[in-house]
Amino acid sequence: EFEVVDVFNPEDKYNFIFGTSHFIKTVEDVYETLVQSGTAIKFGVAFCEASGPRLVRLEGNDDELIDIARKNALAVGCGHTFFIFLNNAFPLNVLNQLKMVPEVTSIHCATQNPTKIVVSKVGDGRGFVSVIDGLKPLGVEDESTKADRVKFLRTIGYKRGC
């Protein structure tokens, strides 16, 4: 049986990362990785255990983001998955560091878009099948929209030059 779970993200206001990991110390190692990435970053982490007490483990430095991560972890409910909700940082600021955390096996989504996660339910277990990130394209970039992209990246400081 399949279920489609809408990721809860109030007003699509936060960037988040959805991934898989394999060990109980994930939340502590992810916490240390994120807190070292910059002093302004705020985040909440929720990790779903797949065995033992099968708890959702929580860490972070912002109560609202921890609560949003918790709600999503419980809604998706797939063992060994995690959510990280971010403020004052973008996923690209932390993705490479997260990929180096020994327990992290995969990053499946890093976005602020409306997102759905397709979950398969088999007996007492649940596994995620796919991530639907945002909406389908409406067309192909032309010179005008390319110029808009180039300008935007410079406006937000991710590229230099004029």
Side-chain angles (χ1 to χ4, degrees), residues 21-43:
S21 185
H22 72 90
F23 194 50
I24 191 173
K25 74 185 195 84
T26 297
V27 292
E28 292 181 42
D29 289 354
V30 167
Y31 176 93
E32 291 171 356
T33 297
L34 293 172
V35 82
Q36 292 173 35
S37 70
T39 58
I41 189 172
K42 298 294 180 193
F43 60 92

Side-chain angles (χ1 to χ4, degrees), residues 26-27 80 94 118 159:
T26 297
V27 292
H80 287 159
V94 298
V118 181
K159 293 286 184 176

Side-chain angles (χ1 to χ4, degrees), residues 1 12 14 23 36 38 42 44-45 49-50 55 64-65 71 74 89 98 126-127 158:
E1 180 181 346
D12 297 320
Y14 299 113
F23 194 50
Q36 292 173 35
K42 298 294 180 193
V45 181
E49 289 181 321
L55 300 174
E64 179 188 15
L65 297 174
K71 287 177 182 173
L74 287 170
L98 287 171
R126 291 167 65 91
Y158 275 92

Side-chain angles (χ1 to χ4, degrees), residues 11-12 22 26 34 37 43-44 46 50 67 82-83 85 90 93 96 99 102 108 111 118 125 127-128 137 140:
E11 301 173 27
D12 297 320
H22 72 90
T26 297
L34 293 172
S37 70
F43 60 92
D67 189 54
F82 64 85
F83 280 91
F85 276 78
F90 294 102
N93 301 128
N96 283 336
K99 292 173 191 174
H108 306 291
T111 189
V118 181
F128 97 94
V140 176

Side-chain angles (χ1 to χ4, degrees), residues 140-153:
V140 176
E141 180 177 67
D142 60 20
E143 289 304 315
S144 173
T145 53
K146 180 178 180 177
D148 292 343
R149 171 177 47 89
V150 169
K151 181 180 177 187
F152 172 72
L153 291 172

Side-chain angles (χ1 to χ4, degrees), residues 61-76:
N61 63 3
D62 182 282
D63 290 339
E64 179 188 15
L65 297 174
I66 294 168
D67 189 54
I68 294 169
R70 177 191 61 80
K71 287 177 182 173
N72 283 290
L74 287 170
V76 171

Side-chain angles (χ1 to χ4, degrees), residues 91-162:
L92 67 89
N93 301 128
V94 298
L95 279 172
N96 283 336
Q97 296 93 315
L98 287 171
K99 292 173 191 174
M100 297 301 293
V101 173
E103 302 87 54
V104 172
T105 58
S106 298
I107 303 291
H108 306 291
C109 181
T111 189
Q112 190 176 346
N113 293 329
T115 303
K116 298 176 184 309
I117 298 178
V118 181
V119 174
S120 174
K121 300 188 285 183
V122 179
D124 288 341
R126 291 167 65 91
F128 97 94
V129 176
S130 182
V131 174
I132 301 167
D133 179 354
L135 306 170
K136 91 179 223 185
L138 297 175
V140 176
E141 180 177 67
D142 60 20
E143 289 304 315
S144 173
T145 53
K146 180 178 180 177
D148 292 343
R149 171 177 47 89
V150 169
K151 181 180 177 187
F152 172 72
L153 291 172
R154 280 141 185 84
T155 300
I156 65 171
Y158 275 92
K159 293 286 184 176
R160 293 181 50 100
C162 27

